[in-house]
């Protein structure tokens, strides 16, 4: 069966969409103060980045809204254009994100 057919109280980080927000999470999102995080004026994103950086002992944090975006950031951090990356044949970045890393 599908992974969604196996309910769990755990947060499942294998996909951006497997774990669905609860009613309380949706209410918190609706009540959040928001701004433009690109311009640096979203207080919720800023607070999250600062809290996580402090938690793991880093000078700064960067919120990315999807696993695809985090993979892109990681690859750009560790490689240069023209570098070769080797992944397993069923790796998510090969199956679902392959073209993005060719640039």
């Amino acid at each position: 069966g599908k992974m969604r057919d196996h309910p769990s109280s755990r947060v499942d980080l294998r996909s951006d969409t497997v774990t669905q927000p609860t009613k309380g999470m949706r209410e918190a999102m609706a009540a959040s103060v928001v701004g433009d995080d690109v311009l640096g004026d979203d207080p919720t994103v800023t607070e999250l980045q600062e809290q996580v950086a402090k938690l793991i002992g880093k000078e700064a944090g960067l919120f990315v809204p999807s696993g695809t975006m985090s993979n892109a950031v990681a690859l750009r951090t560790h490689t240069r254009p023209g570098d070769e990356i080797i992944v397993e044949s069923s790796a998510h970045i090969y199956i679902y994100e392959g073209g993005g890393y060719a640039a």
Side-chain angles (χ1 to χ4, degrees):
K2 296 179 182 176
M3 291 311 298
R4 292 175 202 245
D5 296 338
H6 304 281
S8 173
S9 61
R10 292 187 229 177
V11 173
D12 187 337
L13 301 175
R14 289 170 301 140
S15 169
D16 304 341
T17 58
V18 171
T19 297
Q20 298 293 305
T22 64
K23 181 180 177 190
M25 291 174 177
R26 290 183 187 276
E27 289 170 356
M29 288 185 274
S32 294
V33 178
V34 296
D36 189 320
D37 65 306
V38 173
L39 300 177
D41 65 5
D42 186 316
T44 306
V45 170
T46 301
E47 181 181 357
L48 174 65
Q49 292 175 151
E50 290 171 354
Q51 284 183 359
V52 172
K54 183 178 179 181
L55 178 71
I56 63 173
K58 300 296 181 181
E59 76 178 63
L62 175 65
F63 171 72
V64 292
S66 73
T68 298
M69 190 178 289
S70 66
N71 288 340
V73 169
L75 283 171
R76 290 292 299 193
T77 300
H78 296 286
T79 64
R80 293 177 295 185
D83 282 356
E84 180 177 18
I85 59 172
I86 300 172
V87 299
E88 202 269 328
S89 64
S90 63
H92 189 272
I93 65 171
Y94 176 72
I95 301 291
Y96 299 104
E97 305 170 24
Y101 305 111

